[in-house]
Amino acid sequence: MKSNFLKFGLICALLAAGSFRVLALDGAVVIANPGVAVDSLTADALKDLLTGKTKYWDGGQAVIITVLPDKTDAALQQACGMDTSAFKTFWQRLAFSGRGQEPKKAADAAELVQLVASTKGAIAIVPADAALTGVKKLEIK
Amino acid sequence: MSHSKLTHKTILALTASILAAGSGQAYELNLGTNMPPIDFHGFISQGFLASTKYDYLANNTKDGSFKFSEAAINASINPFPRTHIAAQGFLFDVGNVGEYFPALDYASIDYTFCDEFGVRAGQIRRPEGIYNSIQDIDLARTSVLLPQGMYDSRWRDFSGSIDGGSVFGNVDLHKVGGLGYEAYGGMVHLADDGGIARLLQDSLRNPPTHYKHVNGFPEFGLQLWYNTPVDGLRFGYAFVDALDFSYDYDVNIPPFISLSYHSTINAVEHHLSAEYLYKAWTFQAEYKYATYYSHDQINGARQSITISSTDTWYVSAAYRFNKWLEAGAYYTEDYANVGDRNGSTLATHSDGYQKDAALSLRVDPTSWWVFKVEGHYIRGTALLYDTASNPSRGGDGWFMLAVKTTFSF
């Protein structure tokens, strides 16, 4: 009886984890190329983008992930559940098996914003204090 | 131009490209204002293998062998909405397999109708378990050698790619996670100097047998991944049906006996996987069970079917201490016949099993340079295959050292 109660509790916890995912990015915001036809994303939709489950925006434009190594590691972990090394390995697996394109890298926040502004379909996590010129900030619900 | 000269020039050009890249960034080839660029990535690996008792994987590992190399360049582009094209050239050398011969690893186009459904066609990497589609990619793991019973370095022509197509997608199961799938079918083309051919040549090279050739075969399969609501935890199941893999050889004992054999094997595999990424930890476990339905035709007369089964499994754990240091360990067992796990019906009992405990250290000095060192303690000889180089085998334990470095961009 007690073990059945524990099993039920575990199942409820798993269901709750799937249904009430709330995202708060530490010191970072999500930006996209102005041509991307969305203004907000759910936490799950953002995770699907960062893990390659969603590869195209609604209009068919490819999602181009851009990253800033070392500067937004905590936010990346919060957004997709992987630390920077795991994220890199994950995308190497997809890219070298012909199933995706590796994220583009920038050296600093200004370069990242410029890259997102000039690349169709680009999305990125940037430090919250970065100057956001030529990009749109996406609200994460 | 000889093959070896071509090969060395190819490798030198690739190495120079990678080292010149330096930053680890991909190359981009811009095609014009309205077209996205073509992304290029690549890597080159050089390894070293040394064993205390047997020649294993490479030739002459008892004395140490550098015949353990890989290199690849891939290109990808999204030229039209929802369309992705990717291709990879690959060369490798493991012992007497590969021998730096450049080959097309994959070249495919896919169209994604929606997250739940897409189609892929061309020469495609075959998904099976955690590593089959990326077993060539040293960058994508902690260890130097994957568990060889499950991902044999010498069998890549058999296990890697098919010419055909697949359907794939990810189905959102909302509160209970998501389901990823890829179902595929196509033809496997085998090279006469590939891993399977070499294995057959080794086993059929002594007179009166005379190996002739291997034949391509159709293959179908399915890979499912259940992504649980727990971040980083997923479970997989793969099914593979390799239809009528066949090879030919003769048995000649002049002047009276001249037999022409056509041997056919239908292999059916079931493959279970589990992976959990938790903070800096990676935990993995896999199990594969294969059944082989074999029959011979001798001078055209069909013989009765024999049925045999093998299985293999491993558990592994890896921990990343920081950006440049990672350590891992795995334990794996492989059985050549599930009905005889001790090999008691074999002339050499240890040919019935192989058990391997490995400890790995991975260092990433830069984002584009990886260095690994790994120690193995192995019992059993089921995966040696080359019995001519290892005529005296037994169940005593033996050690193997594997070192590898990879440069990438």
Side-chain angles (χ1 to χ4, degrees), chain B residues 46-51 53-69 92-100 153-154 193 198-199 201-202 205 383-390 400-401:
Chain B
Q46 176 60 54
F48 174 77
L49 297 169
S51 56
K53 198 163 186 175
Y54 302 112
D55 287 332
Y56 179 44
L57 300 178
N59 306 65
N60 205 20
T61 56
K62 282 178 281 193
D63 295 329
S65 173
F66 285 97
K67 284 180 71 65
F68 183 33
S69 315
F92 75 101
D93 187 42
V94 180
N96 60 358
V97 180
E99 297 186 333
Y100 302 113
S153 306
R154 300 159 292 189
D193 57 354
R198 296 286 188 181
L199 169 64
Q201 286 167 21
D202 285 338
R205 67 184 172 191
L383 298 171
L384 295 185
Y385 299 143
D386 190 354
T387 53
S389 298
N390 303 293
M400 185 153 189
L401 171 72

Side-chain angles (χ1 to χ4, degrees), chain B residues 89-325:
Chain B
F90 182 67
L91 53 85
F92 75 101
D93 187 42
V94 180
N96 60 358
V97 180
E99 297 186 333
Y100 302 113
F101 192 80
L104 188 63
D105 205 16
Y106 59 77
S108 62
I109 180 169
D110 62 58
Y111 186 84
T112 304
F113 292 90
C114 55
D115 289 355
E116 292 79 14
F117 185 73
V119 294
R120 179 173 291 127
Q123 183 175 339
I124 62 174
R125 293 294 291 179
R126 198 173 61 75
E128 185 187 341
I130 296 172
Y131 286 108
N132 192 68
S133 63
I134 49 163
Q135 57 179 302
D136 306 324
I137 316 305
D138 181 65
L139 299 164
R141 60 178 185 261
T142 309
S143 63
V144 176
L145 297 172
L146 288 166
Q148 292 295 293
M150 196 162 291
Y151 302 107
D152 196 306
S153 306
R154 300 159 292 189
W155 289 30
R156 286 180 256 202
D157 56 336
F158 186 79
S159 60
S161 302
I162 60 166
D163 291 346
S166 69
V167 294
F168 61 88
N170 288 285
V171 179
D172 187 359
L173 301 177
H174 303 289
K175 297 176 181 178
V176 291
L179 183 69
Y181 70 90
E182 184 165 357
Y184 59 87
M187 288 292 296
V188 176
H189 294 289
L190 297 174
D192 268 327
D193 57 354
I196 291 293
R198 296 286 188 181
L199 169 64
L200 292 168
Q201 286 167 21
D202 285 338
S203 61
L204 299 172
R205 67 184 172 191
N206 295 321
T209 60
H210 172 66
Y211 164 81
K212 290 166 71 178
H213 56 83
V214 291
N215 307 300
F217 59 92
E219 186 170 64
F220 301 88
L222 169 71
Q223 172 68 55
L224 298 173
W225 282 109
Y226 170 54
N227 298 292
T228 72
V230 177
D231 270 347
L233 177 62
R234 63 175 185 159
F235 298 100
Y237 167 73
F239 169 80
V240 183
D241 192 351
L243 300 168
D244 295 341
F245 157 63
S246 64
Y247 56 97
D248 297 274
Y249 63 99
D250 292 333
V251 177
N252 292 312
I253 307 176
F256 303 111
I257 297 176
S258 178
L259 302 173
S260 179
Y261 278 75
H262 177 72
S263 295
T264 304
I265 301 172
N266 185 5
V268 177
E269 294 180 2
H270 300 275
H271 191 139
L272 299 170
S273 310
E275 183 176 51
Y276 186 34
L277 308 179
Y278 176 72
K279 295 184 178 176
W281 287 95
T282 299
F283 301 99
Q284 295 171 332
E286 295 198 274
Y287 174 77
K288 183 164 78 173
Y289 184 95
T291 304
Y292 303 94
Y293 304 86
S294 315
H295 70 265
D296 290 335
Q297 286 184 38
I298 304 174
N299 290 344
R302 185 181 170 114
Q303 311 298 301
S304 60
I305 290 179
T306 59
I307 301 173
S308 61
S309 296
T310 66
D311 70 353
T312 183
W313 62 270
Y314 75 88
V315 291
S316 74
Y319 183 79
R320 178 163 279 276
F321 295 95
N322 50 46
K323 274 178 60 177
W324 56 270
L325 184 63

Side-chain angles (χ1 to χ4, degrees), chain A residues 14-19 21 47-48 52-64 70 73 77-78 80-83 85-86 88-90 92-107 111 120, chain B residues 24-25 28 37 39 41-43 74 76-78 81-84 86 88 106 108 110 112 115 120 125-127 130-131 133-134 137 139-141 170 174-176 182 227 229-231 234 275 277 279-280 284 320 323 367:
Chain A
L14 288 172
L15 293 177
S19 56
R21 187 171 143 77
K47 183 179 178 183
D48 286 348
K53 290 187 177 67
T54 299
K55 293 177 180 169
Y56 299 95
W57 298 104
D58 278 347
Q61 172 67 49
V63 175
I64 307 295
D70 302 332
D73 293 358
Q77 170 90 49
Q78 290 162 340
C80 70
M82 287 184 272
D83 66 18
S85 295
K88 180 182 170 187
T89 300
F90 176 87
Q92 283 175 333
R93 290 181 182 184
L94 288 181
F96 281 104
S97 62
R99 286 167 171 79
Q101 280 190 316
E102 274 197 66
K104 296 180 185 299
K105 285 181 268 188
E111 184 183 322
K120 288 180 182 173
Chain B
Q25 283 281 24
E28 281 189 0
D39 274 9
H41 290 272
F43 66 86
N74 72 44
S76 63
I77 185 174
N78 295 294
R82 301 190 173 281
T83 307
H84 179 68
Q88 180 162 288
Y106 59 77
S108 62
D110 62 58
T112 304
D115 289 355
R120 179 173 291 127
R125 293 294 291 179
R126 198 173 61 75
I130 296 172
Y131 286 108
S133 63
I134 49 163
I137 316 305
L139 299 164
R141 60 178 185 261
N170 288 285
H174 303 289
K175 297 176 181 178
V176 291
E182 184 165 357
N227 298 292
V230 177
D231 270 347
R234 63 175 185 159
E275 183 176 51
L277 308 179
K279 295 184 178 176
Q284 295 171 332
R320 178 163 279 276
K323 274 178 60 177
S367 63

Side-chain angles (χ1 to χ4, degrees), chain B residues 17-36:
Chain B
S17 304
I18 291 171
L19 293 179
S23 65
Q25 283 281 24
Y27 285 124
E28 281 189 0
L29 177 63
N30 289 300
L31 301 175
T33 52
N34 291 323
M35 286 290 282

